[in-house]
Amino acid sequence: MTPDTDRTDANLALFERARRVIPGGVNSPVRAFRAVGGTPRFITRAEGAYIWDANGQRYIDYIGSWGPMILGHGHPAVLEAVQKAARDGFSFGAPTEREIELAEEILRHVPSMDMVRLVSSGTEAAMSAIRLARGATGRNKLVKFEGCYHGHADALLVKAGSGLATFGHPTSAGVPAVVAQDTLVLEYNNLSQLEAAFAAHGSEIACLMIEPIAGNMNFVRASVPFMQRCRELCTQHGALLVFDEVMTGFRVALGGAQSLYAQAIPDFAPDLTVLGKVIGGGMPLAAFGGRCAVMEQLAPLGPVYQAGTLSGNPVATACGLATLREISREGFYDALARQTRTLIEGLKSEADAAGVAFSADSEGGMFGFFLLPELPQNYTAVMKSDGARFNTLFHGLLERGVYVAPALYEAGFVSAAHSDEDLARTFEAARAAFRLLTK
Ligand SMILES: *Cc1c(COP(=O)(O)O)cnc(C)c1O
C-alpha cells in the first residue's frame, strides 16, 4: 500500500460523494455528525455488538440502529426468518398470516392494546395515532412535551408558545402556522403547566402524547406523580392518553414503559400506544394500537382513513416476529438490564476517577448519560450540558472504537450481544476519553 492510499479516508470519500446526490449526504439528519463535527462513518457491515466502517475500523455499537437491534446484529434465528420470508416473496399488497401472528405477539405483551395496525415507520404510526385520536374524540388540539420526539408529522414540529398554555409555532419551514396552532407544547415533568393547560383547554384536547421515558432528550423519565396526573386529567376531560413507545416499547421491558408505570399507579393504562424500532428488529415496521372501541374507528371499519402499500410487509413482519420470539424468552430482560447497568456504573466510575461530573440512568437495554452532576428532569436542564465537552468525549470514544450517539440529546442502547469483554474495552476507552476533558 502506498503512503497515499494509506492516508485515504474512505469515509470522507464516501461523504463527499454522498453530498453531491443526497442532501447533506445522509437520509436522516443526525447521521451527518453536524452536532459533533467530523466525518460520519459509512457502515459496511455489522455482526453481534459490532459495526465496521468503510476504512475497515471496528466499533462497539451502542446505537443499534437507534434502538431496534436489541439482539445485536445478524442474530441467527432472525436472519433465517428473514431469508426464508424473502424467498417466499417481498411484498404482496394482500393480507398474510404473519401479520396476525405479529399482532397477536404484540398484544400478548401489551395488555392496554386490544387491536393493532401495522405501518412502516414510527413517524407514520404517531401521525396515524393522532389522526385516530382526533377522529375518535371529534377534537383538534393535542398536547406534547418539549424534548419529546414523535416523528416528523407537521403537527409535531412545533415549539412552545410564548406564554403558559398558549399554542405553538412551527420549528420547521414548510409547516403551516395553522397546523402548529393546534399543538400545545408543555415542559416535561411540569405539573403546574399540565394543570393550567387542561384547565384552559381541556374540552378541546383530543390527546396528550408523551414519551414515558424520553429518549429523544437523552434519557429523562416522566415522574410517577406526573404520569398519574396525565392519566387523571385525560380521563377527566375526555382526552386520549397516547404513549409513544417507539423507542421504549420492547426495549425497557417486555411490556414497554407502560408496564413500569402500571406497577406504580393503580389501574394505569394509556388509551393508545405507538410502537416501532424493536418490533421491526431492524426492518421498516411500526404500529399503533389500543382498545377496540377506538381502533374500530379506523378504515375500513370506521371514518378515520389510514393505509399503506407496504404496511405489514412480509419480510419486515418475519424479522419483527423472530425478534419478539427471542426477546420474550424467560430472563432476557433481566440479563439485558444487568448488562446495561454494569455499563453505566462502569462509565460512572471512570468519570469519577477522572474527576468529571457525570450522571447516568438506564432501564432495560436503554441508557443515557450526562456530563452533569444530577440527572435532568426536562429539556431545558438537558440543554445545560456542555456541547463542546460532549463532543470531545464522543470523538475520544469513537477514535478508540466505541460508537455512541453523535449528539448529547440521544439515548444509547445495549444489546444481548454486548459481552463483558465489550464492556471492559468500553471502560478502557472511556478512561482515556474522560481524561481529555480534564486537560
Ligand atoms: C424514533 C422515534 C420516532 C420516529 O420513528 P421513525 O421510524 O424514525 O419515523 C417516534 N417516536 C419516538 C419516541 C422515537 O424514538
Side-chain angles (χ1 to χ4, degrees):
M1 210 189 262
T2 68
D4 236 340
T5 55
D6 220 64
R7 277 199 302 276
T8 302
D9 180 351
N11 293 307
L12 187 58
L14 287 171
F15 194 37
E16 282 168 358
R17 199 173 131 208
R19 279 187 293 193
R20 287 197 284 275
V21 290
I22 299 170
V26 293
N27 284 312
S28 196
V30 74
R31 296 178 196 168
F33 275 27
R34 283 283 180 107
V36 291
T39 309
R41 302 309 192 255
F42 280 69
I43 306 306
T44 52
R45 71 186 189 92
E47 195 183 316
Y50 311 119
I51 50 175
W52 282 264
D53 74 7
N55 290 332
Q57 170 77 46
R58 189 184 87 170
Y59 303 90
I60 303 173
D61 178 16
Y62 289 107
I63 300 183
S65 186
W66 302 91
M69 309 313 300
I70 193 165
L71 292 168
H73 297 280
H75 186 283
V78 180
L79 204 52
E80 198 192 312
V82 167
Q83 285 170 337
K84 181 177 183 314
R87 277 195 300 269
D88 289 341
F90 286 9
S91 186
F92 315 124
T96 60
E97 184 175 5
R98 215 177 291 122
E99 293 162 82
I100 315 170
E101 290 181 284
L102 181 60
E104 287 169 347
E105 187 70 11
I106 292 170
L107 302 180
R108 190 155 77 82
H109 299 298
V110 189
S112 69
M113 296 160 78
D114 293 334
M115 284 184 157
V116 63
R117 164 97 12 122
L118 303 179
V119 298
S120 301
S121 76
T123 288
E124 192 189 354
M127 175 190 83
S128 304
I130 290 169
R131 185 181 306 136
L132 176 58
R134 285 172 162 167
T137 58
R139 301 171 177 184
N140 287 339
K141 308 277 189 220
L142 83 100
V143 172
K144 80 176 283 286
F145 297 94
E146 195 181 18
C148 287
Y149 178 67
H150 308 295
H152 59 86
D154 282 357
L156 295 165
L157 296 180
V158 175
K159 65 170 184 279
S162 50
L164 197 64
T166 57
F167 287 88
H169 308 293
T171 53
S172 166
V175 174
V178 289
V179 174
Q181 275 163 14
D182 278 329
T183 305
L184 185 53
V185 184
L186 307 178
E187 190 175 69
Y188 201 71
N189 278 326
N190 185 326
L191 268 171
S192 59
Q193 277 194 17
L194 182 70
E195 298 285 354
F198 274 89
H201 304 287
S203 64
E204 304 161 85
I205 296 171
C207 66
L208 178 154
M209 185 173 256
I210 187 165
E211 280 183 81
I213 298 174
N216 288 286
M217 51 172 156
N218 198 326
F219 187 106
V220 183
R221 295 169 189 269
S223 77
V224 169
F226 184 74
M227 192 57 84
Q228 183 161 12
R229 202 61 193 134
C230 286
R231 176 66 278 176
E232 287 165 0
L233 286 167
C234 283
T235 303
Q236 196 180 316
H237 292 273
L240 300 185
L241 177 62
V242 184
F243 258 37
D244 182 349
E245 296 224 49
V246 172
M247 190 181 289
T248 54
F250 296 91
R251 172 47 81 174
V252 300
L254 192 53
Q258 57 192 268
S259 69
L260 307 174
Y261 288 95
Q263 282 165 25
I265 304 168
D267 300 322
F268 182 86
D271 298 299
L272 286 174
T273 299
V274 185
L275 295 167
K277 298 193 168 112
V278 171
I279 64 162
M283 288 280 175
L285 199 155
F288 63 103
R291 296 273 171 245
C292 287
V294 178
M295 293 305 286
E296 284 171 350
Q297 299 295 311
L298 276 179
L301 294 179
V304 178
Y305 192 70
Q306 191 280 331
T309 301
L310 297 176
S311 291
N313 175 270
V315 183
T317 49
C319 187
L321 195 58
T323 300
L324 295 194
R325 288 197 173 136
E326 290 301 316
I327 67 182
S328 53
R329 289 177 197 278
E330 185 75 32
F332 179 87
Y333 285 88
D334 291 339
L336 184 66
R338 212 177 313 118
Q339 200 70 337
T340 310
R341 268 196 304 276
T342 304
L343 173 72
I344 63 166
E345 282 161 12
L347 292 175
K348 170 80 175 138
S349 38
E350 297 300 342
D352 287 351
V356 172
F358 185 89
S359 56
D361 197 1
S362 74
E363 191 67 54
M366 174 175 164
F367 67 91
F369 65 82
F370 301 90
L371 297 173
L372 295 169
E374 307 274 344
L375 289 172
Q377 296 305 307
N378 59 48
Y379 184 72
T380 308
V382 170
M383 285 299 135
K384 293 209 172 95
S385 302
D386 184 332
R389 281 167 68 76
F390 173 81
N391 295 349
T392 303
L393 179 67
F394 169 80
H395 283 292
L397 290 171
L398 193 67
E399 277 162 24
R400 289 165 183 81
V402 175
Y403 195 91
V404 298
L408 58 77
Y409 48 82
E410 302 287 354
F413 304 96
V414 171
S415 79
H418 285 78
S419 66
D420 294 347
E421 297 86 79
D422 295 326
L423 266 53
R425 251 180 272 128
T426 303
F427 301 148
E428 209 175 295
R431 192 167 314 149
F434 279 127
R435 282 205 204 103
L436 302 171
L437 301 181
T438 53
K439 278 202 178 119

